[in-house]
Amino acid sequence: MRRSISALLSATVLLFLGFRSSVAQNFTNGDLRLTNPENKEGRLEIYYNGTWGTICDDGWQLRDATVACRQLGYPVAIRKSTRAEFGRGTGEIWLSDVECTGEEERLEECGHSGWGVHRCRHSEDAGIVCNETLADISVRLVGGNGSDFEGRVEVSFGGEWGTICDDRWSVNDARVICRMLGYNATLSAPPRGAFGEGNGTIWLDDVDCNGDEVHIKDCHHGGWGEHNCGHSEDAGVVCAAATPEIELRLVGGSTNNEGRLEMRYNGEWGTICDDDWSNRNAKVACRQLGYKYAERSSRDF
């Protein structure tokens, strides 16, 4: 009887160990989890070599949080979290100096210092706040001078309209807004409430687009609702329905293939300043004028 009980206990232990082993095999290196998944936020933890660990916030940016949210099944990151906002983890700190482009499918595909290589403590554990939907993020222009193609940029996030702060605001950022609104050209990015001050939430600050993004959510920024601005800093854009026609001509040369370079923009001829003017620029101008080569650039005409 004792032998039967012993054998049964041994079989149970083996079965339990086998169950634990099969559960562990459900995770693969690079899998992610949140400490508060019910609210789509929390300290971010990553699985590696059979153990869950944390991620150091050194270099942690919204692009990194966006990749992590997408890997977890959420289309957008509302903001990044640093300094163990969601509590300190324990055990391994698996990643540090994470640097994503925003296009990666998994966080482990991003640049980082190496698994387990860091100079951090758990007081620097990184976190994320994700959002379930992307469809409710849209843009509009308000306060233009009687036209639809210019105005203060307003963003609807979660059904609430708000503005964008002009910190770091540039033509590259304006290009993305104009593209979202269906315009294929951008003329300028007026700052400092040029189209009047908005009200309500300032949704975005420190926007930094490269100009090729399809949607403003793809650009780097400080996080949704995170800012240090007033509405006197509301950003604006001036779009154009089509790229303005630009012509070149040569004036003042002794032959047709040389001279002062002039440009026609919006119906008016003007000159080009020679600051940083180089042979590379001259080659582009010569090609546009129908010549194969540029012999040299000049300041003599």
Side-chain angles (χ1 to χ4, degrees):
M1 183 66 177
R2 289 181 179 178
R3 184 176 300 174
S4 299
I5 293 174
S6 177
L8 180 61
L9 289 173
S10 297
T12 301
V13 170
L14 289 172
L15 180 62
F16 177 70
L17 290 174
F19 173 75
R20 287 190 62 187
S21 176
S22 65
V23 170
Q25 290 174 1
N26 288 334
F27 300 111
T28 60
N29 288 341
D31 284 352
L32 301 177
R33 70 181 182 186
L34 288 174
T35 55
N36 190 7
E38 296 82 6
N39 293 329
K40 303 174 286 293
E41 65 181 22
R43 182 178 66 250
L44 186 62
E45 297 189 347
I46 189 165
Y47 187 83
Y48 182 71
N49 200 26
T51 304
W52 288 98
T54 63
I55 297 171
C56 177
D57 65 10
D58 286 357
W60 190 243
Q61 299 293 333
L62 189 69
R63 286 192 182 99
D64 312 322
T66 297
V67 173
C69 285
R70 192 162 56 237
Q71 182 177 340
L72 288 166
Y74 305 108
V76 65
I78 297 177
R79 64 180 177 89
K80 65 179 183 179
S81 169
T82 59
R83 300 181 182 178
E85 175 187 349
F86 295 105
R88 301 183 182 188
T90 59
E92 299 287 349
I93 299 175
W94 278 130
L95 293 181
S96 180
D97 298 304
V98 176
E99 186 175 359
C100 303
T101 66
E103 302 299 322
E104 298 86 352
E105 294 184 1
R106 292 172 63 85
L107 194 68
E108 63 182 309
E109 298 171 4
C110 302
H112 55 79
S113 58
W115 292 98
V117 179
H118 63 86
R119 308 173 304 281
C120 309
R121 298 184 179 182
H122 283 294
S123 58
E124 302 169 80
D125 284 345
I128 55 175
V129 180
C130 305
N131 193 40
E132 283 185 318
T133 60
L134 182 61
D136 58 352
I137 301 176
S138 55
V139 298
R140 69 184 182 188
L141 300 182
V142 178
N145 298 318
S147 64
D148 296 330
F149 58 84
E150 65 179 9
R152 179 179 64 253
V153 181
E154 295 195 349
V155 181
S156 176
F157 183 79
E160 179 182 351
W161 286 99
T163 62
I164 298 177
C165 179
D166 65 6
D167 291 349
R168 303 182 69 176
W169 189 247
S170 72
V171 171
N172 281 342
D173 311 319
R175 285 193 181 105
V176 177
I177 297 296
C178 291
R179 186 177 298 118
M180 288 180 66
L181 292 168
Y183 300 106
N184 56 15
T186 305
L187 298 182
S188 63
R192 301 178 184 176
F195 295 101
E197 297 184 10
N199 52 59
T201 302
I202 298 175
W203 275 126
L204 295 175
D205 188 16
D206 295 315
V207 177
D208 186 15
C209 308
N210 61 35
D212 297 327
E213 295 87 353
V214 175
H215 199 289
I216 192 68
K217 63 93 183 174
D218 298 321
C219 301
H220 174 74
H221 55 79
W224 292 95
E226 302 290 323
H227 67 88
N228 58 354
C229 308
H231 282 294
S232 61
E233 302 169 82
D234 285 344
V237 300
V238 179
C239 306
T243 303
E245 183 179 357
I246 297 175
E247 298 179 47
L248 298 181
R249 70 183 181 186
L250 297 177
V251 178
S254 57
T255 63
N256 291 334
N257 63 335
E258 66 178 17
R260 179 179 67 254
L261 185 63
E262 294 190 351
M263 172 182 289
R264 184 176 182 269
Y265 179 78
N266 277 350
E268 182 178 353
W269 286 99
T271 60
I272 299 173
C273 179
D274 66 6
D275 287 354
D276 296 323
W277 187 251
S278 67
N279 285 339
R280 183 180 293 113
N281 310 132
K283 288 177 182 177
V284 174
C286 286
R287 282 200 301 269
Q288 185 172 340
L289 288 164
Y291 301 105
K292 291 184 178 181
Y293 309 104
E295 183 174 329
R296 61 185 177 89
S297 61
S298 174
R299 296 178 173 87
D300 300 333
F301 300 101

